[in-house]
Amino acid sequence: MPELTTLASPLDVGGVRIRNRVFLAPMSGITDEPFRQRAHAHGAGLVVSEMVASGELAKGRAGCDLRIRHSGLPVHMVQLAGREAAHMAEGARIAAGEGADIIDINMGCPAKKVTGGYAGSALMRDLDHALSLIEAVVDAVSVPVTVKMRLGWDESALNAPMLARRAELAGVRMVTVHGRTRCQFYQRKADWRAIARVKEAVSIPVVANGDVGSPEEAATILDQSGADAVMIGRAHYGAPWTAGSIAAAAAGMSATDIPETPKRLADYVVAHYEDMLSLYGVESGLRQARKHLGWYLDRHATRASAERRKHILTSFEPAEVIAGLRQAFTESAASPELRSAA
């Protein structure tokens, strides 16, 4: 059976060397450049861009350039979503032209605005169409192509093993499986044992995803799924160091650079906030940063007053937000669960 130490070893994905096997999941509106840089700095083996709509990218829509822009990390991985083969192929070419080392195809997003457009996990309802998109992307670029999927659309159609097998035959070099169906969204616990059926169906690396946030959970998902790597998403809310901490534990090391005092944590959050303002501009950046600030406050500044929290999350003045953050973390002792939360 796989052990946690497995996650400390490198992984080859179509000739691209990944430094360890604990990955940051692509999350729309979250895994932008500042977030990915932090997760990588803490030791995540692989970080993935936010989902990019291939049709908007192909048409040159504003904002897409920021999502696919190379951030200077050793491996640049871009995730594309869409339903049109031509758009997926063109989006892949554009991303590769911007330096993407790996292109991931989203066939797992459960959001209604995505599945309503017959993209994301809706593609698991029509495997022939899903394969047409995979083939279009594989044919369009020379870099490795991967696919992220769910177990199926619902409990009556658990077709992830079939999709993975057909994807491998079409040239896909790795698959990631979230252990829920689309209709489950994020309800009930992810079924890690069901991922094992995908692992048995293919010879390419399989990445297990869903409800992992600690070394113990990472070890268990490996044991139950037989997967080659783990991908972690929501456990990073307010803790960009989560994947890196698990990778460090797999290597028998202590995680480094985790802010563990109120002052260090305040400095960390302020720096993250300022990086988002720099990337998006003040007007857009302060709005997009609010969810991150809320998560940081929820996890690590629980003693901050409701009034201060509200001011931080509604102010349109960056200086006021920064001052409020420093006061909030000063008021709250560093959470004793700060390290274990990773």
Side-chain angles (χ1 to χ4, degrees):
M1 287 290 185
E3 298 179 353
L4 184 66
T5 53
T6 301
L7 298 178
S9 62
L11 179 67
D12 182 274
V13 179
V16 177
R17 185 180 185 274
I18 311 302
R19 63 178 177 175
N20 66 57
R21 301 175 184 227
V22 189
F23 305 160
L24 169 68
M27 293 180 281
S28 183
I30 299 169
T31 55
D32 58 11
E33 184 175 311
F35 200 95
R36 296 196 307 274
Q37 288 176 329
R38 280 164 174 74
H40 179 267
H42 289 299
L46 182 66
V47 298
V48 191
S49 78
E50 302 174 75
M51 177 181 67
V52 184
S54 59
E56 294 183 3
L57 180 59
K59 295 173 183 177
R61 294 284 175 83
C64 290
D65 56 331
L66 292 182
R67 294 193 172 202
I68 67 168
R69 187 174 74 175
H70 201 300
S71 56
L73 300 179
V75 178
H76 181 42
M77 185 170 179
V78 172
Q79 187 186 69
L80 297 178
R83 62 177 180 177
E84 302 291 340
H87 287 161
M88 289 293 287
E90 181 60 17
R93 282 190 286 266
I94 293 170
E98 291 294 321
D101 299 293
I102 302 174
I103 303 292
D104 186 62
I105 301 175
N106 184 315
M107 295 191 175
C109 181
K112 186 174 181 179
K113 66 179 181 180
V114 176
T115 60
Y118 302 102
S121 56
L123 292 167
M124 300 193 74
R125 304 179 77 175
D126 185 347
L127 296 194
D128 288 340
H129 183 58
L131 262 292
S132 73
L133 303 185
I134 291 172
E135 291 167 350
V137 173
V138 170
D139 290 344
V141 296
S142 59
V143 301
V145 175
T146 63
V147 175
K148 189 171 189 293
M149 64 185 71
R150 287 200 163 212
L151 296 176
W153 178 260
D154 58 27
E155 294 291 337
S156 69
L158 301 178
N159 56 3
M162 182 180 299
L163 175 57
R165 188 182 309 115
R166 294 183 66 179
E168 179 181 17
L169 292 173
V172 162
R173 309 306 290 271
M174 181 175 76
V175 296
T176 299
V177 186
H178 182 104
R180 290 183 175 88
T181 66
R182 183 272 175 182
C183 290
Q184 283 181 273
F185 284 85
Y186 294 100
Q187 298 173 351
R188 303 200 306 271
K189 186 169 175 21
D191 186 351
W192 295 341
R193 295 186 187 280
I195 299 172
R197 292 192 286 273
V198 179
K199 176 61 181 172
E200 293 166 358
V202 298
S203 60
I204 54 178
V206 173
V207 184
N209 173 228
D211 294 345
V212 176
S214 69
E216 294 75 20
E217 289 166 339
T220 303
I221 198 173
L222 283 181
D223 179 46
Q224 294 186 3
S225 69
D228 302 280
V230 298
M231 180 173 278
I232 302 165
R234 292 171 295 155
H236 284 94
Y237 290 2
W241 49 82
T242 299
S245 296
I246 294 174
M253 302 168 59
S254 296
T256 59
D257 297 326
I258 294 179
E260 295 180 290
T261 66
K263 183 182 185 305
R264 286 194 63 205
L265 190 52
D267 290 343
Y268 185 97
V269 175
V270 167
H272 190 174
Y273 180 64
E274 291 177 332
D275 283 351
M276 292 191 72
L277 298 186
S278 178
L279 178 67
Y280 297 110
V282 173
E283 183 176 353
S284 176
L286 63 84
R287 290 188 175 89
Q288 297 199 50
R290 284 172 178 163
K291 54 182 170 290
H292 293 282
L293 300 186
W295 291 326
Y296 283 126
L297 293 169
D298 286 344
R299 293 186 75 150
H300 313 302
T302 55
R303 296 182 185 178
S305 68
E307 182 180 356
R308 190 177 307 287
R309 176 188 169 89
K310 180 179 179 181
H311 184 67
I312 289 169
L313 298 181
T314 58
S315 175
F316 287 90
E317 295 296 332
E320 292 181 1
V321 173
I322 291 170
L325 287 168
R326 293 197 182 281
Q327 291 166 347
F329 288 110
T330 298
E331 291 170 355
S332 295
S335 168
E337 298 179 351
L338 181 58
R339 181 180 292 274
S340 63

